Amino acid sequence: SSTGKSSLTRLATYMAGHFFIQLSPGLLPGRPAFVELLKSTVRDAAAIGAQATILVTGKQASEAVVLDVINEIVHTGECLGMFSSEEQAMLVSEALEDSAKKRGYPLTLEGKQKYLCDRVKDALHFVLCFPLQGVLPIVARRFPVLQAVCHWIHFLPWPSQSFELVAA
Protein backbone atom coordinates (compact mmCIF):
# COMPACT_ATOMS: atom_id res chain seq x y z
CA SER A 1 0.00 0.00 0.00
CA SER A 2 1.04 3.60 -0.49
CA THR A 3 1.36 6.51 1.91
CA GLY A 4 0.77 9.46 -0.39
CA LYS A 5 4.38 10.67 -0.07
CA SER A 6 4.59 11.77 -3.70
CA SER A 7 1.31 13.66 -3.53
CA LEU A 8 2.25 15.39 -0.29
CA THR A 9 5.65 16.30 -1.71
CA ARG A 10 4.06 17.77 -4.85
CA LEU A 11 1.59 19.79 -2.77
CA ALA A 12 4.30 21.11 -0.41
CA THR A 13 6.53 21.97 -3.37
CA TYR A 14 3.74 23.91 -5.06
CA MET A 15 2.89 25.75 -1.83
CA ALA A 16 6.55 26.70 -1.32
CA GLY A 17 6.84 27.97 -4.90
CA HIS A 18 9.62 25.54 -5.81
CA PHE A 19 10.23 23.72 -9.06
CA PHE A 20 9.30 20.04 -8.78
CA ILE A 21 11.53 17.34 -10.23
CA GLN A 22 10.94 13.61 -9.99
CA LEU A 23 13.05 10.84 -11.43
CA SER A 24 11.09 8.57 -13.73
CA PRO A 25 9.83 5.60 -11.73
CA GLY A 26 11.87 2.51 -12.45
CA LEU A 27 14.84 4.54 -13.76
CA LEU A 28 18.04 3.50 -12.01
CA PRO A 29 20.59 5.94 -13.35
CA GLY A 30 24.31 5.44 -12.98
CA ARG A 31 26.35 8.29 -11.54
CA PRO A 32 27.01 10.10 -14.87
CA ALA A 33 23.34 9.94 -15.88
CA PHE A 34 22.10 11.13 -12.47
CA VAL A 35 24.65 13.95 -12.36
CA GLU A 36 23.60 15.03 -15.86
CA LEU A 37 19.93 14.99 -14.76
CA LEU A 38 20.73 17.37 -11.90
CA LYS A 39 23.16 19.61 -13.78
CA SER A 40 20.69 22.23 -15.06
CA THR A 41 18.92 22.35 -11.70
CA VAL A 42 22.20 22.91 -9.86
CA ARG A 43 23.19 25.56 -12.44
CA ASP A 44 19.87 27.41 -11.91
CA ALA A 45 20.24 27.16 -8.13
CA ALA A 46 23.78 28.57 -8.29
CA ALA A 47 23.10 31.31 -10.83
CA ILE A 48 19.70 32.63 -9.79
CA GLY A 49 18.90 30.86 -6.52
CA ALA A 50 16.04 28.90 -8.09
CA GLN A 51 14.42 26.75 -5.40
CA ALA A 52 13.79 23.13 -6.41
CA THR A 53 12.46 20.02 -4.72
CA ILE A 54 13.78 16.76 -6.12
CA LEU A 55 11.76 13.65 -5.31
CA VAL A 56 13.56 10.32 -5.33
CA THR A 57 11.41 7.28 -4.58
CA GLY A 58 11.50 3.52 -4.35
CA LYS A 59 14.62 1.64 -5.29
CA GLN A 60 16.26 4.86 -6.58
CA ALA A 61 16.25 6.26 -3.04
CA SER A 62 18.22 3.31 -1.74
CA GLU A 63 20.77 3.20 -4.59
CA ALA A 64 24.27 4.03 -3.34
CA VAL A 65 25.10 5.98 -6.52
CA VAL A 66 22.07 8.27 -6.13
CA LEU A 67 22.61 8.71 -2.39
CA ASP A 68 26.31 9.43 -2.91
CA VAL A 69 25.55 12.32 -5.30
CA ILE A 70 22.83 13.71 -3.01
CA ASN A 71 25.18 13.39 -0.03
CA GLU A 72 27.86 15.43 -1.85
CA ILE A 73 25.45 18.19 -2.82
CA VAL A 74 23.82 18.40 0.62
CA HIS A 75 27.22 18.43 2.36
CA THR A 76 29.27 20.72 0.11
CA GLY A 77 26.89 22.29 -2.40
CA GLU A 78 28.76 20.75 -5.30
CA CYS A 79 29.22 17.39 -6.93
CA LEU A 80 32.60 16.13 -8.05
CA GLY A 81 32.80 16.15 -11.84
CA MET A 82 29.40 17.76 -12.43
CA PHE A 83 30.88 20.76 -14.22
CA SER A 84 33.98 21.00 -16.34
CA SER A 85 36.61 23.53 -15.30
CA GLU A 86 35.33 25.94 -17.95
CA GLU A 87 31.69 25.58 -16.84
CA GLN A 88 32.66 26.09 -13.22
CA ALA A 89 34.74 29.17 -14.08
CA MET A 90 31.78 30.60 -16.00
CA LEU A 91 29.42 30.02 -13.05
CA VAL A 92 31.87 31.68 -10.68
CA SER A 93 32.43 34.63 -13.01
CA GLU A 94 28.66 35.10 -13.26
CA ALA A 95 28.26 35.03 -9.49
CA LEU A 96 26.35 38.06 -8.41
CA GLU A 97 29.06 40.13 -6.75
CA ASP A 98 26.55 42.43 -5.07
CA SER A 99 24.70 39.50 -3.50
CA ALA A 100 27.89 37.77 -2.42
CA LYS A 101 29.27 40.99 -0.96
CA LYS A 102 26.03 41.77 0.92
CA ARG A 103 26.17 38.33 2.50
CA GLY A 104 29.76 38.82 3.64
CA TYR A 105 31.60 36.65 1.11
CA PRO A 106 34.97 37.93 -0.09
CA LEU A 107 35.02 38.76 -3.80
CA THR A 108 37.90 36.39 -4.48
CA LEU A 109 37.60 33.26 -6.62
CA GLU A 110 37.33 31.11 -3.49
CA GLY A 111 34.78 33.45 -1.93
CA LYS A 112 32.58 33.34 -5.03
CA GLN A 113 32.85 29.54 -5.19
CA LYS A 114 31.84 29.28 -1.53
CA TYR A 115 28.93 31.65 -2.15
CA LEU A 116 27.68 29.54 -5.07
CA CYS A 117 28.03 26.28 -3.13
CA ASP A 118 26.12 27.70 -0.17
CA ARG A 119 23.46 29.01 -2.55
CA VAL A 120 23.05 25.53 -4.06
CA LYS A 121 22.78 23.94 -0.61
CA ASP A 122 20.08 26.44 0.33
CA ALA A 123 18.12 26.13 -2.93
CA LEU A 124 17.97 22.38 -3.50
CA HIS A 125 15.69 20.21 -1.41
CA PHE A 126 15.83 16.44 -1.78
CA VAL A 127 12.95 14.24 -0.69
CA LEU A 128 13.93 10.59 -0.35
CA CYS A 129 11.05 8.13 -0.05
CA PHE A 130 11.99 4.59 0.85
CA PRO A 131 10.80 1.84 3.18
CA LEU A 132 12.09 2.21 6.71
CA GLN A 133 12.57 -1.49 7.23
CA GLY A 134 16.17 -2.34 6.46
CA VAL A 135 17.05 0.71 4.34
CA LEU A 136 17.14 3.54 6.90
CA PRO A 137 19.85 2.05 9.16
CA ILE A 138 22.05 1.37 6.11
CA VAL A 139 21.58 4.91 4.78
CA ALA A 140 22.29 6.39 8.21
CA ARG A 141 25.53 4.40 8.52
CA ARG A 142 26.85 4.95 4.99
CA PHE A 143 25.80 8.59 4.63
CA PRO A 144 26.12 10.29 8.03
CA VAL A 145 25.73 13.75 6.46
CA LEU A 146 22.23 12.84 5.29
CA GLN A 147 21.37 11.69 8.79
CA ALA A 148 22.82 14.84 10.35
CA VAL A 149 21.30 17.54 8.12
CA CYS A 150 18.04 15.99 6.93
CA HIS A 151 14.61 15.97 8.49
CA TRP A 152 13.30 12.44 8.79
CA ILE A 153 9.52 12.10 8.54
CA HIS A 154 7.94 8.69 8.85
CA PHE A 155 4.68 7.98 7.05
CA LEU A 156 2.61 4.96 7.90
CA PRO A 157 0.91 3.08 5.06
CA TRP A 158 -2.67 4.05 4.32
CA PRO A 159 -5.25 1.29 4.33
CA SER A 160 -7.02 0.77 1.00
CA GLN A 161 -10.27 1.95 2.58
CA SER A 162 -8.73 5.37 3.30
CA PHE A 163 -7.82 5.84 -0.36
CA GLU A 164 -11.37 4.93 -1.38
CA LEU A 165 -12.86 7.42 1.09
CA VAL A 166 -10.54 10.24 -0.06
CA ALA A 167 -11.30 9.47 -3.72
CA ALA A 168 -15.09 9.51 -3.14
Side-chain angles (χ1 to χ4, degrees):
S1 75
S2 182
T3 60
K5 296 179 292 270
S6 295
S7 299
L8 287 172
T9 302
R10 285 179 187 269
L11 177 62
T13 300
Y14 173 77
M15 291 174 67
H18 296 187
F19 291 105
F20 179 78
I21 299 164
Q22 181 175 5
L23 296 181
S24 299
L27 173 70
L28 291 175
R31 182 180 175 92
F34 186 56
V35 168
E36 193 60 37
L37 266 168
L38 294 177
K39 196 172 186 176
S40 66
T41 306
V42 169
R43 185 180 290 118
D44 290 346
I48 60 173
Q51 299 282 316
T53 299
I54 301 154
L55 176 63
V56 184
T57 61
K59 190 169 168 86
Q60 299 162 337
S62 59
E63 282 294 310
V65 168
V66 171
L67 291 171
D68 187 44
V69 171
I70 293 170
N71 189 63
E72 284 180 45
I73 293 172
V74 167
H75 183 60
T76 65
E78 57 186 339
C79 175
L80 192 62
M82 180 175 281
F83 296 107
S84 67
S85 300
E86 296 82 27
E87 290 173 314
Q88 194 167 14
M90 190 164 57
L91 274 174
V92 170
S93 72
E94 293 172 356
L96 305 171
E97 289 190 13
D98 290 342
S99 297
K101 190 174 182 178
K102 284 180 189 172
R103 289 179 176 78
Y105 291 88
L107 297 180
T108 62
L109 177 64
E110 293 80 22
K112 288 181 181 180
Q113 284 177 322
K114 174 82 171 116
Y115 170 69
L116 291 176
C117 289
D118 288 348
R119 197 167 177 169
V120 168
K121 287 188 330 188
D122 291 342
L124 296 186
H125 310 276
F126 291 93
V127 177
L128 307 173
C129 300
F130 51 79
L132 296 177
Q133 300 298 339
V135 177
L136 184 59
I138 294 168
V139 170
R141 247 189 338 270
R142 288 193 62 199
F143 304 98
V145 170
L146 292 180
Q147 182 183 11
V149 301
C150 294
H151 300 281
W152 297 91
I153 302 171
H154 307 276
F155 290 94
L156 299 174
W158 280 24
S160 299
Q161 184 181 18
S162 297
F163 281 113
E164 292 169 11
L165 289 172
V166 169

